DNA sequence: CCAGAATGCGAGCGGTCGCTCGTGTTTGTC
DNA sequence: GACAAACACGAGCGACCGCTCGCATTCTGG
């Protein structure tokens, strides 16, 4: 490894002047710069998808964006920052698109329907943005990314857990809830891999399988209608 | 990349004499050599586990084995061959340990029991040999390994599918069976990740979760006792 | 016992990769 | 139009990595 400046700052790669406050306000950007950043992130997404994070070279990303390596480093302090920024934007898209995803379901909804809706949204998001899966799934990430990783994962587990506490019998203990949430998420992720590996009708069939697996897993725990926990 | 000699031969790295038949019989090994190979494979397992395949350096493997880089290349033609040989040995151990794993189950066995036994064996094998999971799961493998990968995966899917045809109603179509087998295997793998990420009682709890997920997934398809397909 | 094969060593070759730097071009501001 | 800041370039630096090569040492068969 050449150098580890471990400066994980926002895109503002070069700073105008080392501010006396110690905090460096983000460098002034022109519209052209913002466009370049977008270009570079899209190129990065494409390259990451094709080869994975660690095998992706910054030169390849620059080339894909039709830009010189030097230009890339005008906007990102290092390779890791590219992945982090890309991840951040994806997470925001996730939130924006689905708001409080896995959102509150009306009591009385059939379990299968609630699960189906959640799976469909999750699958749609991922098929439209294959990078998301690559970044979430790749075990070849340096420290900084793994953190963001785990943070997102923890958030999702928390969200699922919140949903579950309102469904499971009230005497269910905390650890049990967390465990169930982890299992649901793992099934989600494993199923997603299967789904992304197929096309057309076959893909749809696998989506249905995920729904079945989750529904049957949860049914004995929550009853077949929400708000109506099994005895 | 320096060179791609793409010679994926068995450990015999250097060959005695280019045999006129075109086939090169494996180089004569002394006991010392066999011991070194074992040492190197164990070192490789440890390094792969710690850092993943692509991040593992051959020099690090040699160092871990207490040996010079040159010595390593006396026994393996390249880095890929190390992983392949390691994988081969693991697969053989898998076969030897569990014979015709996921073996025929006596008709009348409760589904939960059959699933439980299979999961327990699979989990035991993997907890004793964490490299196996690393090699199977890592998406950062060069071509040659990915092939072996897929071959093993296909074998396992085939095995599970064979088991399923004897359980599912006889009018179930082929694609349905394969799909179900893929889903079972994915659940297995996803669950394994969860299991390996925890210790002690928590780990046991996750093992139970995998069993529950699989049992509940399969129950509606095969009935709650084997040899007694649901209508 | 001795020739030759097998084993062992480690500096270093050729290559890639992340990233820098000196320099030139475009853009916004007064 | 002038001036500074932002943007763009691309050769190339330093670090590392997979792998080689020449040479020393140990084993083994005859």
């Amino acid at each position: 490894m050449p150098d580890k400046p471990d400066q994980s700052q926002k895109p503002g790669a070069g700073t105008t002047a080392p501010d006396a406050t110690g905090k460096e306000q983000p460098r002034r950007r022109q519209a052209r710069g913002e466009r370049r950043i977008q270009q570079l992130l899209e190129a990065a997404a494409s390259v990451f998808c094709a080869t994975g994070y660690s095998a992706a070279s910054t030169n390849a990303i620059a080339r894909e964006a039709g830009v010189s390596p030097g230009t890339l480093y005008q906007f990102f302090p290092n390779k890791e920052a590219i992945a982090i920024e890309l991840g951040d934007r994806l997470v925001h898209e996730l939130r924006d698109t689905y708001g409080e995803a896995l959102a509150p379901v009306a009591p009385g909804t059939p379990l299968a329907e609630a699960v189906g809706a959640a799976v469909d949204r999750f699958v749609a998001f991922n098929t439209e943005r294959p990078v998301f899966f690559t970044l979430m799934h790749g075990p070849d990430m340096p420290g900084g990314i793994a953190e963001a990783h785990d943070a997102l994962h923890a958030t999702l587990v928390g969200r699922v857990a919140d949903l579950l506490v309102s469904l499971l019998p009230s005497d269910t203990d905390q650890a049990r809830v967390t465990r169930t949430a982890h299992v649901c998420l793992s099934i989600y992720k494993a199923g997603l891999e299967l789904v992304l590996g197929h096309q057309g009708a076959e893909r749809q069939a696998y989506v249905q399988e995920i729904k079945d697996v989750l529904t049957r897993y949860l049914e004995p725990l929550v009853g077949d209608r929400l708000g109506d926990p099994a005895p």
Side-chain angles (χ1 to χ4, degrees), chain A residues 180-200:
Chain A
T180 306
H182 269 108
V183 171
C184 287
L185 225 78
S186 286
I187 293 174
Y188 246 166
K189 284 173 61 177
L192 194 59
E193 193 164 5
L194 240 29
V195 167
L196 294 179
H198 293 83
Q199 293 291 334

Side-chain angles (χ1 to χ4, degrees), chain A residues 75-198:
Chain A
F75 302 101
F76 299 95
N78 53 49
K79 180 177 168 181
E80 194 178 330
I82 303 175
I84 291 183
E85 177 66 17
L86 189 53
D88 271 9
R89 299 205 174 188
L90 284 169
V91 168
H92 282 126
E93 281 182 52
L94 183 59
R95 289 218 206 292
D96 289 353
T97 312
Y98 300 122
E100 302 298 321
L102 317 173
V105 277
T109 315
L111 173 62
E113 195 174 301
V115 166
V119 169
D120 281 336
R121 294 204 269 189
F122 193 64
V123 167
F125 184 83
N126 278 278
T127 50
E128 284 161 22
R129 296 170 193 78
V131 225
F132 189 71
F133 185 75
T134 304
L135 286 181
M136 283 296 293
H137 204 71
D140 59 342
M141 302 291 173
I145 306 185
E147 282 173 37
H149 230 268
D150 296 348
L152 174 56
H153 192 82
T155 304
L156 291 177
V157 169
R159 194 93 67 166
V160 175
D162 283 351
L163 210 66
L164 286 173
V165 286
S166 71
L167 301 177
L168 294 167
S170 51
D171 60 343
T172 313
D173 78 14
Q174 177 59 40
R176 185 76 184 74
V177 174
T178 311
R179 200 154 53 230
T180 306
H182 269 108
V183 171
C184 287
L185 225 78
S186 286
I187 293 174
Y188 246 166
K189 284 173 61 177
L192 194 59
E193 193 164 5
L194 240 29
V195 167
L196 294 179
H198 293 83

Side-chain angles (χ1 to χ4, degrees), chain A residues 46-57 134 140:
Chain A
S46 147
V47 175
F48 287 160
C49 260
T51 66
Y53 171 79
S54 58
S57 87
T134 304
D140 59 342

Side-chain angles (χ1 to χ4, degrees), chain A residues 209-226:
Chain A
E209 294 297 308
I210 307 179
K211 294 177 186 173
D212 288 351
V213 172
L214 280 171
T215 307
R216 289 175 197 159
Y217 172 58
L218 292 175
E219 207 163 47
L221 303 176
V222 308
D224 63 347
R225 280 185 177 271
L226 303 186

